[in-house]
């Protein structure tokens, strides 16, 4: 208290300022950060977790895991995989594939809101633990209802990671490589789905579909444990939750260094200003009033409407139009190449042309427009090889949006709203995008009975996405990455969030 009193009475005095700095430097010594846990390794860990999430998506859709229904035509076949063992109709089979969306959509905003009261890194550990047990539960399920419930819990676990990982990555990425790092992270989506097809087919056909889920649980378990055993990381814009006394002392010394911080800090750290639910609605109102954020999400919804239907109906359409004997493998190959090249290229290009919000919209609208042209042209060709070339180029251009679109989501809101912005973006693109697109395209195909026409109509929606993002170029925008948050005390700790140990040469 003596040091604090001296700091308040004479803030301009260097003699009183020196002890303040010394106390701040001494506080973290009681709990040193592991030098191994550097920003690049954080990115690597999050990429692996994201890939396992999407391996699960691909695996449950693979023939080896999903299987085929029982058929009775004189002689009854037992079917295979989940559909055959539980004797599911195509409708129930579709419910299982998309059930995780229920948990994801419900839990995403909840985890984003809890990040204001609990350490975000610990929330990820909780979510991944739920994911691990739910995946194992899928492997021991006994009927349609039990596996459906487990799939919903898989979505709950994934929600904690999806809404919080991107802000962590953006906090720790080098300033000139933020979009590239986000691009690397989101590159794991198409890569994971493609690997899931291969993994599910091999494990399901060799050992049985249940072992595919057991394998996923084993792969995710170390990362769930990591969320609890590693030193909790702080996110930009959030005050430490459940901090130790030494950390609290450091915060108090930082707060009293200026007169204007004293009342605000005492209010934010010692008594909540509103209930959790009221605060959530206030944050939602702030998001909806952010025009740039709304335009970005609207374009993302139209984009995801097409991509979701491509991933579900693409192989079937390709088989019907071009009579491909290996449509699954071919579309998987196009997706993984287009996803990796396009996602990485989009992130690196935005960093090169200066990662600003207007530049992000320019890249989003341009890449999507030309990607739509190539994809639309691909379905016009009757020659299979011409289709492959044009569709691959189109996919590369379309996937170039992944880094920029999430960059805009993170940088149009103040730091404390970033988890909620990512959560609501995820909820929106699924609720209004890929969830309804697959059945709607199925209904359209039932009516016109022509896959080429259905594919062309679907692809044309990419032009709508491009147009929406084009509007974003002309709306005044402010990058709020460095905007003062509701917890200004955190300004001294936000760079870097992880102890990089640069001086000792331990940064990799």
């Amino acid at each position: 208290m003596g040091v604090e009193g001296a700091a308040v009475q004479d803030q301009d005095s260097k003699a009183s300022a020196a002890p303040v700095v010394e106390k701040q430097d001494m506080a973290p010594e009681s709990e040193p950060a592991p030098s191994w846990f550097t920003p690049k390794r954080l990115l690597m860990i999050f990429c692996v977790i994201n890939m396992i999430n999407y391996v699960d998506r691909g695996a449950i859709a693979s023939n080896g895991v999903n299987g085929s229904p029982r058929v009775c035509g004189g002689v009854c076949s037992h079917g295979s995989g989940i559909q055959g063992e539980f004797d599911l109709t195509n409708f129930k089979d579709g419910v299982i594939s998309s059930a995780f969306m229920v948990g994801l959509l419900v839990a995403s905003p909840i985890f984003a809101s809890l990040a204001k009261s609990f350490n975000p890194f610990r929330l990820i550990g909780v979510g991944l633990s739920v994911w691990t047990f739910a995946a194992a539960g899928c492997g021991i399920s006994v009927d349609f209802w039990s596996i459906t419930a487990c799939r919903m819990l898989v979505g709950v676990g994934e929600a904690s990671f999806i809404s919080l990982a991107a802000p962590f990555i953006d906090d720790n990425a080098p300033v000139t490589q933020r979009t590239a790092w986000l691009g690397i992270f989101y590159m794991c989506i198409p890569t994971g789905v493609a690997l899931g097809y291969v993994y599910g087919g091999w494990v399901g056909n060799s050992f049985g579909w249940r072992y595919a889920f057991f394998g996923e649980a084993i792969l995710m378990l170390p990362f769930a444990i990591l969320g609890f055993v590693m030193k909790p990381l702080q996110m930009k814009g959030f005050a430490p939750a459940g901090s130790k006394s030494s950390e609290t002392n450091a915060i108090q010394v930082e707060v009293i260094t200026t007169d204007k911080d004293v009342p605000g800090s005492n209010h934010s750290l010692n008594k909540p200003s509103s209930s959790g639910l009221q605060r959530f609605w206030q944050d939602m109102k702030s998001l909806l009033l952010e025009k740039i954020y709304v335009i970005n999400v609207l374009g993302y919804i139209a984009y995801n409407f097409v991509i979701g239907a491509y991933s579900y109906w693409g192989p079937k359409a390709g088989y019907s139009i071009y009579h491909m004997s290996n449509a699954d493998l071919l579309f998987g190959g196009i997706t993984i190449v287009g996803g990796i090249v396009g996602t990485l290229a989009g992130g690196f290009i935005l960093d090169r042309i200066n990662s600003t919000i207007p530049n992000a919209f320019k890249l989003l609208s341009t890449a999507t427009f030309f990607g739509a042209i190539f994809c639309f042209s691909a379905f016009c060709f009757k020659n299979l090889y011409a289709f492959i070339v044009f569709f691959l180029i189109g996919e590369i251009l379309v996937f170039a949006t992944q880094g920029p679109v999430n960059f805009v989501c993170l940088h149009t809101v103040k730091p404390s709203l970033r988890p909620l912005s990512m959560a609501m973006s995820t909820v929106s693109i699924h609720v209004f995008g890929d969830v309804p697109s697959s059945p709607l395209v199925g209904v359209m195909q039932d009516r016109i009975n022509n896959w080429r026409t259905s594919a062309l109509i679907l692809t044309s929606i990419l032009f709508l996405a491009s147009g929406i993002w084009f509007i974003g170029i002309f709306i005044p925008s402010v990058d709020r990455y460095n905007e003062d948050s509701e917890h200004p005390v955190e300004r001294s700790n936000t760079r870097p969030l992880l102890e990089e140990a640069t001086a000792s040469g331990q940064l990799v």
Side-chain angles (χ1 to χ4, degrees), residues 259-496:
D259 291 334
K260 64 180 182 179
D261 285 334
V262 176
S265 63
N266 290 337
H267 174 73
S268 62
L269 290 178
N270 296 330
K271 58 179 181 179
S273 59
S274 60
S275 66
L277 183 60
Q278 183 179 356
R279 183 171 56 188
F280 171 77
W281 287 117
Q282 290 174 347
D283 291 343
M284 283 296 300
K285 182 179 179 180
S286 298
L287 283 182
L288 294 176
L289 290 176
E290 193 65 54
K291 293 181 180 178
I292 287 290
Y293 176 80
V294 173
I295 288 291
N296 187 54
V297 173
L298 287 175
Y300 203 7
I301 289 171
Y303 164 90
N304 214 54
F305 187 96
V306 179
I307 298 301
Y310 271 175
S311 64
Y312 191 80
W313 294 114
K316 184 169 297 223
Y319 178 81
S320 175
I321 298 171
Y322 299 102
H323 306 291
M324 304 175 187
S325 58
N326 55 347
D328 290 337
L329 181 60
L330 181 60
F331 268 84
I334 293 175
T335 300
I336 195 171
V337 173
I340 292 175
V341 176
T343 306
L344 290 179
F348 283 111
I349 290 173
L350 182 57
D351 285 330
R352 281 300 184 96
I353 65 175
N354 192 9
S355 54
T356 63
I357 293 173
N359 282 346
F361 276 118
K362 291 175 184 177
L363 182 57
L364 286 170
S365 58
T366 302
T368 305
F369 178 77
F370 286 102
I373 291 176
F374 275 94
C375 289
F376 192 92
S377 301
F379 285 106
C380 293
F381 285 105
K382 294 183 178 181
N383 183 274
L384 173 62
Y385 298 104
F387 165 81
I388 293 174
V389 172
F390 273 73
F391 194 69
L392 176 59
I393 296 174
E395 288 252 294
I396 291 173
L397 290 167
V398 167
F399 276 114
T401 61
Q402 289 297 302
V405 73
N406 287 286
F407 172 87
V408 175
C409 279
L410 290 169
H411 285 250
T412 54
V413 299
K414 61 183 181 181
S416 61
L417 288 180
R418 291 187 304 162
L420 184 62
S421 75
M422 295 302 298
M424 296 314 300
S425 172
T426 302
V427 168
S428 299
I429 64 175
H430 289 314
V431 169
F432 304 107
D434 56 1
V435 169
S437 68
S438 293
L440 287 176
V441 170
V443 171
M444 179 174 63
Q445 172 59 21
D446 288 338
R447 286 180 175 271
I448 64 178
N449 195 28
N450 187 313
W451 272 114
R452 189 186 300 273
T453 303
S454 296
L456 291 172
I457 295 174
L458 173 66
T459 303
S460 64
I461 298 177
L462 285 175
F463 291 106
L464 174 62
S466 175
I468 295 174
W469 279 327
F470 184 72
I471 296 173
I473 299 174
F474 304 100
I475 298 179
S477 60
V478 177
D479 191 326
R480 297 186 172 181
Y481 178 79
N482 290 316
E483 183 174 297
D484 287 339
S485 69
E486 58 195 73
H487 299 292
V489 63
E490 284 297 293
R491 300 295 294 160
S492 65
N493 293 334
T494 56
R495 185 181 181 280

Side-chain angles (χ1 to χ4, degrees), residues 112-350:
S113 297
L114 288 176
K116 290 193 172 186
S117 303
F118 301 93
N119 187 279
F121 200 65
R122 291 295 187 249
L123 291 177
I124 291 177
V126 172
L128 295 184
S129 298
V130 174
W131 195 101
T132 301
F133 285 109
C138 291
I140 61 175
S141 56
V142 295
D143 57 16
F144 167 76
W145 295 108
S146 60
I147 195 171
T148 300
C150 289
R151 295 307 298 169
M152 290 181 183
L153 289 175
V154 166
V156 171
E158 186 175 337
S160 69
F161 178 73
I162 292 300
S163 58
L164 300 174
F168 267 129
I169 293 173
D170 195 58
D171 281 346
N172 290 276
V175 175
T176 58
Q177 298 177 16
R178 284 178 183 150
T179 319
W181 280 40
L182 288 173
I184 292 171
F185 176 72
Y186 286 103
M187 174 196 71
C188 298
I189 293 177
T191 305
V193 171
L195 290 176
Y197 290 145
V198 178
Y199 167 79
W202 176 69
V203 175
N205 292 328
S206 301
F207 305 100
W209 65 268
R210 296 180 184 274
Y211 287 90
F213 293 112
F214 295 148
E216 293 171 9
I218 292 172
L219 289 173
M220 188 65 83
L221 181 60
F223 299 101
I225 296 174
L226 187 67
F228 294 103
V229 300
M230 295 299 292
K231 178 182 178 180
L233 307 178
Q234 291 302 327
M235 193 179 295
K236 188 180 181 70
F238 291 87
S243 55
K244 302 297 182 183
S245 59
S246 60
E247 295 172 340
T248 304
N249 291 337
I251 291 172
Q252 291 173 343
V253 173
E254 170 70 12
V255 169
I256 63 174
T257 55
T258 60
D259 291 334
K260 64 180 182 179
D261 285 334
V262 176
S265 63
N266 290 337
H267 174 73
S268 62
L269 290 178
N270 296 330
K271 58 179 181 179
S273 59
S274 60
S275 66
L277 183 60
Q278 183 179 356
R279 183 171 56 188
F280 171 77
W281 287 117
Q282 290 174 347
D283 291 343
M284 283 296 300
K285 182 179 179 180
S286 298
L287 283 182
L288 294 176
L289 290 176
E290 193 65 54
K291 293 181 180 178
I292 287 290
Y293 176 80
V294 173
I295 288 291
N296 187 54
V297 173
L298 287 175
Y300 203 7
I301 289 171
Y303 164 90
N304 214 54
F305 187 96
V306 179
I307 298 301
Y310 271 175
S311 64
Y312 191 80
W313 294 114
K316 184 169 297 223
Y319 178 81
S320 175
I321 298 171
Y322 299 102
H323 306 291
M324 304 175 187
S325 58
N326 55 347
D328 290 337
L329 181 60
L330 181 60
F331 268 84
I334 293 175
T335 300
I336 195 171
V337 173
I340 292 175
V341 176
T343 306
L344 290 179
F348 283 111
I349 290 173
L350 182 57

Side-chain angles (χ1 to χ4, degrees), residues 104-118:
L104 180 68
L105 302 182
V106 172
S108 289
I110 294 176
F111 275 110
S113 297
L114 288 176
K116 290 193 172 186
S117 303
F118 301 93

